[in-house]
Amino acid sequence: MANKFVRAIFPGSFDPITNGHLDVIDRGIKLFDELIIAVGRSPVKNQLFTPEERVEMIKEIVREKRMKGVLVESFDGLTVEYAAKKKADVILRGLRSLTDVQYEFQLAMTNRAVAGIETVFIMTSEQYSFTSSTLIREIASLGGNLSNLIPPTVYERLKKRFKKLKD
Ligand code: ADP
């Protein structure tokens, strides 16, 4: 990868973005020249934030943290078609545990078979290996403290949504 400009996309639902995602993004920007965080618009089960809200929150974090070479967009349809449209060289995905590997392996093999695109995996730090957006949504709805697992801007939004949440 040494002399070539390498563009990666990091696709996901990000509903909402967590410190685990951010950990993967921080590591990813060291490997690639450009990283596009791509928020899928396809309907997700128990959606909490609209794709627009998710993009807005991530953009806010990227700005705050002054992340260089990081772009944020939403996309419709197939990830591989979006990757081709953006002329991305690789798809970035995060791994938390062996359980993730099985599904991600299948997804990566399929994407390579249908579009010839490679997937690069980054393992998260252990402290986020149990963090998932699904659990964040559940804990938020029950009023649990999430300040160690999500960025402050996301927590603020969640507090507006779930009045039970404390500081
Ligand atoms: P999707 O619905 O496509 O899995 P997610 O937003 O749940 O979208 O996840 C996007 C990517 O981030 C996936 O590769 C997922 O495995 C990874 N990911 C999710 N949570 C974490 C975490 N805590 N640490 C590292 N990677 C994560």
Side-chain angles (χ1 to χ4, degrees), residues 10-166:
F10 183 34
S13 321
F14 304 105
D15 187 31
I17 191 161
T18 68
N19 287 345
H21 292 128
L22 286 172
D23 185 55
V24 170
I25 294 165
D26 279 339
R27 293 168 199 281
I29 45 185
K30 293 185 194 133
L31 299 178
F32 310 115
D33 299 291
E34 189 175 287
L35 180 61
I36 308 176
I37 305 171
V39 176
R41 302 185 65 89
S42 52
V44 282
K45 239 190 1 189
N46 305 323
Q47 174 179 293
L48 182 60
F49 295 106
T50 64
E52 290 73 24
E53 287 172 316
R54 287 180 246 156
V55 166
E56 204 179 287
M57 277 189 273
I58 303 173
K59 280 190 174 165
E60 218 173 299
I61 295 162
V62 168
R63 253 198 319 270
E64 248 173 36
K65 292 185 171 260
R66 296 171 201 271
M67 292 178 175
K68 290 231 171 63
V70 179
L71 303 171
V72 189
E73 286 187 357
S74 64
F75 74 101
D76 274 311
L78 282 178
T79 304
V80 290
E81 279 174 11
Y82 173 74
K85 198 171 101 193
K86 302 311 285 184
K87 298 194 175 14
D89 302 286
V90 293
I91 295 174
L92 170 65
R93 296 282 288 176
L95 290 179
R96 285 164 289 196
S97 62
L98 279 180
T99 327
D100 275 348
V101 173
Q102 193 161 15
Y103 168 71
E104 293 290 341
F105 186 85
Q106 198 177 15
L107 195 65
M109 295 293 262
T110 308
N111 286 340
R112 193 165 67 188
V114 300
I117 189 159
E118 298 292 348
T119 302
V120 170
F121 296 102
I122 290 183
M123 283 172 285
T124 186
S125 25
E126 307 84 83
Q127 70 196 106
Y128 302 126
S129 61
F130 58 89
T131 308
S132 76
S133 300
T134 309
L135 270 180
I136 298 290
R137 293 196 297 274
E138 277 173 25
I139 298 169
S141 71
L142 297 170
N145 190 323
L146 289 163
S147 50
N148 291 332
L149 305 178
I150 50 176
T153 43
V154 174
Y155 202 35
E156 287 311 310
R157 297 249 185 172
L158 281 173
K159 278 196 245 172
K160 281 188 197 138
R161 207 54 82 82
F162 301 101
K163 302 289 183 222
K164 268 196 259 176
L165 285 178
K166 316 253 174 351

